[in-house]
Each structure stands twice: as C-alpha cells, then as structure tokens.
Amino acid sequence: MSDDPAELPAHSDAAWADLRALTRARIALGRSGAAQRSRDVLAFGVDHALARDAVHLPLDEAALQTELAGQGWETLCLHSAAPDRARYLMRPDLGRRLAPESAAALDAACGRWGEIELQPVLADGLSALAVQRHAPAVLAALRERAGPSLRLGPVLIARQARVALGDEIGERLRAQAVLMLIGERPGLSSPDSLGLYLTWAPRRGRSDAERNCISNVRAEGLAPAEAARKLLWLLREARRLGQTGVALKDQSDAPALEAAPAAPRLGGA
C-alpha cells in the first residue's frame, strides 16, 4: 500500500496526522467493524469526566488570594445569591445577583477605593479550574501593560457567579467599566477555558449584547499577554464610544491600529 496520504483510506490515521497536530478536536475517528475503536471511546470518556468535574470543582479562594497577594493585589471575597452549586446550576438568575451579606460587605468597603476605571472580578462560573489556572496571569499582564495610568479596583473573587453579577458589582462601586474573568462552559477538549467579559457603565439590567467577550484564554488557546492587549484596546475604544457590546467591534488585530498606544488613559488629562 502507498504511503502517500492522498492514496490512503479516509479513515487512516496517517492521512489525518498533519491536521490532528493542529487541533484537539475529534476528527476522522477510525472504526473497528461497525463501531468506534476502543481507544477513542475510552478517550472520550476521560475527557467527558474532566469536563463534568470542572463544573463541580470548587474554587480554592484561599490559594487564589495568596497568589494574588504575592502580586500586590488587594482582594475581597463575595458570593452570589445561589447558596450552593446545585442551586447555582438550576437557578441561573441567583448567580446574577449578590447575596445580601456580600452586597453589604461591598458597600461598606467601596468608600476606601476611590474612583475606579476598571473593576476586575474573578468568578468561578462553570469552571473554577479556569480561574485558578489562568486569571492571575491575565491580571499580571493587564497591570504590566496598562501601567499606573489605569485606575484598577481591588480584585473581587465571586463564587457561584454568572457574568451578569459584574453589573451589580460595578454599579455599586460606580466603576467606569467592569471586567469579569470567568470560567467558561467546559468542552471535551477544554475544561479550563477562561472568558473575559468587558462591560462599560455597568448597571443591573445590562444585556449580553452590551458586553464584549474575549474567549478561550488557556494554554492551548489565547495567551494571557495577548488577552490583555486585546482587552486594553477594547477598553480604550469603549471609553471613546461610551459603550461596549454590538456597537464595539474588536479590530485590535487590524494593521492600521496596531501602532496605537497599548495603555489607555481613562482618567482626565
């Protein structure tokens, strides 16, 4: 039989080796008789278990606070109105608002933080693993690239949180914009994908159409430094337009815009 991939059967591993090297997606799975091969079935089972585990794995707040303190961040832990994981999964609406005690703690502490241009929130979402692994690196890259000109709030760590929880947080702090770093829904090849959601002028009732999302931040996806670059471009444009969402298209990779300053100045002159 020829070794030329073009002449091999469509199900041959050799015919798809180059393409498989570029993706973790399941493509051109082979078969044994009328069934899938045992190794493919077992690999699917492992990845499915990892995805399910990522949904239920709790966020290690203490470890996250220790790591962020080492970077010089002040932190505050919050909780949504969903009292546990089961309720969080069954009642998405509870994950979109703060528990009363967290709202009170935030209101009591916000006076000492002054004007906030960008408020970062780390949220477990549907994959605490993503936040644990990648959020500190994104924050470090963001602060390094933005420099002292960007007034960042403390890092708020929110458990049982949905994206829209950032709207209430940003509104209570009167922040110009809120950044949610949240674990995305796990996939069979990506149980630790982190999403960044930017909302200008956050307030309760904002819709998903009023946000911009940078997705797939992880080792096999978008690097933290690249995510920070895109985020700061979006933040500068959000201030210019006075809005985020469908009105703000990500053109951060356009050649004509690449030379623009990396760190926005969101305050006064």
Side-chain angles (χ1 to χ4, degrees), residues 214-262:
I214 300 171
S215 186
N216 198 35
V217 180
R218 60 191 181 101
E220 298 83 0
L222 191 67
E226 180 65 7
R229 182 188 70 81
K230 286 179 172 290
L231 174 67
L232 288 171
W233 187 93
L234 288 170
L235 186 58
R236 183 179 64 246
E237 290 300 296
R239 184 175 189 273
R240 183 178 66 84
L241 295 172
Q243 57 186 322
T244 46
V246 295
L248 173 54
K249 305 302 181 184
D250 182 3
Q251 297 180 334
S252 58
D253 294 324
L257 302 173
E258 190 64 33

Side-chain angles (χ1 to χ4, degrees), residues 114-146:
E115 183 181 353
I116 296 173
E117 293 176 333
L118 180 63
Q119 175 56 57
V121 182
L122 306 191
D124 50 6
L126 291 171
S127 175
L129 188 64
V131 178
Q132 210 89 43
R133 286 180 175 175
H134 310 306
V138 173
L139 289 176
L142 173 63
R143 188 161 60 179
E144 179 181 0
R145 191 174 186 92

Side-chain angles (χ1 to χ4, degrees), residues 1-9:
M1 181 180 289
S2 171
D3 289 333
D4 183 356
E7 297 179 16
L8 292 172

Side-chain angles (χ1 to χ4, degrees), residues 74-163:
E74 179 183 355
T75 61
L76 177 67
C77 292
L78 304 171
H79 205 290
S80 78
D84 52 48
R85 199 62 172 172
R87 245 81 61 91
Y88 169 80
L89 293 173
M90 292 188 293
R91 292 282 306 275
D93 59 307
L94 296 180
R96 298 184 183 117
R97 63 176 189 264
L98 287 169
E101 59 273 19
S102 288
L106 190 62
D107 290 344
C110 70
R112 70 174 186 266
W113 294 324
E115 183 181 353
I116 296 173
E117 293 176 333
L118 180 63
Q119 175 56 57
V121 182
L122 306 191
D124 50 6
L126 291 171
S127 175
L129 188 64
V131 178
Q132 210 89 43
R133 286 180 175 175
H134 310 306
V138 173
L139 289 176
L142 173 63
R143 188 161 60 179
E144 179 181 0
R145 191 174 186 92
S149 64
L150 179 61
R151 291 193 290 273
L152 290 159
V155 176
L156 305 179
I157 302 172
R159 293 186 62 191
Q160 315 299 2
R162 302 278 177 175
V163 172

